[in-house]
Amino acid sequence: MEHYYNELVGYLTSRLRDRQRAADVAHDAYVRVLESGNLAVLDNPRAFLYRTAINLSIDLYRREKRLPLEPLEIVDTVDRSSLNEPEHPVSQLYQEQKTQLMQRALNELSDNCREAFLLRKLEKLSHAQIAERMQISTSMVQKHIVNAMKHCRIRVQELEAAQS
């Protein structure tokens, strides 16, 4: 699957007219495809990856058209306490177990792999920004992130299988 990445980014760049946004959409498409767990049964994984990326591009376009940008001060005044409803105890326990498992899975990764993944997921940095910060190539960043996603997906699936 990884060998389609540069081709997909090129395709999305021609559609989105922005290489950075294209790389972000391609990354999100990879995440969706890898998390779907359907790779083994797909006849054409490349087509599935492209369709996912195109759908994400359309979603991005619609979201940008629909949502006007607001100053951060307005967003920060929202009362978030009313948004948090209490979770069912079983669901909460499952989420805690999943979080612990993710932490263990992340600790099993190499330092560079973990750092690239966390910079992407937590700090929302682009591949180029991560590459610059870590002083590695963007292709190495891509490989680290994909490897981390695969590893974490496998660990989460192990938890879900144990729960069944």
Side-chain angles (χ1 to χ4, degrees), residues 20 29 32 34 56 59 72-73 79 83 89 91 93 96 104 106-107 112 117 130 132 139 144 152 163:
Q20 191 57 52
R32 290 260 177 104
L34 291 172
L56 288 171
D59 291 346
L72 287 177
E73 295 79 27
D79 181 17
L83 300 175
S91 174
L93 176 62
E96 288 172 11
R104 280 197 312 250
L106 288 172
N107 288 338
N112 283 343
F117 180 75
I130 295 168
E132 185 178 321
S139 65
H144 283 319
C152 292
Q163 296 288 328

Side-chain angles (χ1 to χ4, degrees), residues 127-128 130-132 134-144:
H127 290 180
I130 295 168
E132 185 178 321
M134 294 180 66
Q135 296 182 341
I136 59 176
S137 68
T138 55
S139 65
M140 196 71 225
V141 169
Q142 295 161 3
K143 289 175 186 172
H144 283 319

